[in-house]
Amino acid sequence: MALVTSTEMFKKAYEGGYAIGAFNVNNMEIIQGITEAAIEERAPLILQVSSGARKYAKHVYLMKLIEAALLDAQDSGVDLPICVHLDHGDTFELCKSCIDGGFTSVMIDGSHFSFEENIKLTKQVVEYAHDHGVVVEGELGRLAGIEDAVNVSAKDASYTDPDQVQEFVAKTGVDSLAIAIGTSHGAYKFKPGQKPQLRFDILEEVSRRLPGFPIVLHGASSVIPEFVKMINDNGGKMPDAIGIPEDMLREAARSAVCKINIDSDLRLAMTGSIRQYFNEHPDHFDPRQYLKPARENIKRLVKHKLVNVLGCNGKA
Ligand code: G3H
Ligand code: 13P
Ligand code: ZN
């Protein structure tokens, strides 16, 4: 199977009451760990690339690694649908470059612009993308947290206004919509002692206004305590790292949410494993020695997500 768009994945996920995992990728070990988990669990997959990842690894390296993942799945006898997606595209030019470079899906994040400007930019991207067989994710509402160099403080974050979603989708022609209901980027989503809460009422109202339309949840890492502990027990310093409780993510996956974005959990799994390895083997210096367990830890994490959180195992 060639790389696919997310259209068919989202249709089945919506009808089946599960969500597709969209995992951020930056290097070979991350791509391998995620893909091996998806192959073993027969789960449709979105591999997403941020502009920071593209700068770090270069478009062509990531693209070739993702194509290799597809071939690896075929060799394992699994016809794994993989969608390659631009995460948080911020300009038309960046989206165009990814579309021209073989991505099957792009996000144009105009959430920091006015409603009218967001519509204008998103529509421009949709027109180019659709002409090239590529799908587009837009965003309404603003998440707190860190994306690339942009740090959105909690006071600048805002929930999605359900009154705007129909007009936004109709005027832009987007294929999916990211909304802000209280999730946030990074490893510090709630303050210690604060009760984690998501605005499921907003999600419900959005899906009532957009029946059958796929919704996307960013900032959806659960910041798994096991990995935070692994980091802190091995010289790291991440006190008070708190994520979205898994039961809330499961509830979202059963609803109109068809795509759940996960990056921080991958970072924690990889870093925890490497820190532990260095602590236990201070004399080792072959990168393969510490990257192998890091890749295994990513695989274990992703399998857990696919089966216990997203419910998309066995759907490929
Ligand atoms: O939403 C942001 C993602 O976690 C990507 O992070 O821009 O540092 O690659 P990044
Ligand atoms: P996390 O930081 O919660 O993993 O969110 C990732 C994300 O939304 C990527 O777009
Ligand atoms: Zn995001």
Side-chain angles (χ1 to χ4, degrees), residues 255-287:
S255 75
V257 171
C258 294
K259 172 174 179 271
I260 291 191
N261 285 11
I262 297 157
D263 187 3
S264 295
D265 279 336
L266 298 167
R267 296 178 181 193
L268 293 166
M270 185 159 214
T271 302
S273 170
I274 292 172
R275 275 196 177 279
Q276 187 178 38
Y277 190 89
F278 281 148
N279 214 9
E280 288 170 1
H281 308 276
D283 55 326
H284 286 190
F285 63 97
D286 178 345

Side-chain angles (χ1 to χ4, degrees), residues 24 50 52-53 87-88 146-148 185 263 267:
N24 284 72
S50 69
D87 190 28
H88 292 285
I146 299 166
E147 295 153 22
D148 252 331
H185 291 111
D263 187 3
R267 296 178 181 193

Side-chain angles (χ1 to χ4, degrees), residues 114-135:
S114 69
F115 184 60
E116 290 71 27
E117 280 177 80
N118 189 355
I119 289 179
K120 194 170 160 220
L121 176 62
T122 305
K123 186 170 186 282
Q124 187 191 11
V125 171
V126 168
E127 279 167 5
Y128 188 81
H130 285 183
D131 277 351
H132 293 78
V134 169
V135 293

Side-chain angles (χ1 to χ4, degrees), residues 7 11 41 57 69 97 100 123 134 161 210 243:
T7 307
K11 192 170 175 288
E41 295 302 337
S97 166
D100 295 345
K123 186 170 186 282
V134 169
D161 178 357
L210 296 172

Side-chain angles (χ1 to χ4, degrees), residues 301-312:
L301 161 77
V302 173
K303 279 174 80 104
H304 166 72
K305 296 272 181 194
L306 299 173
V307 176
N308 300 314
V309 179
L310 301 154
C312 60

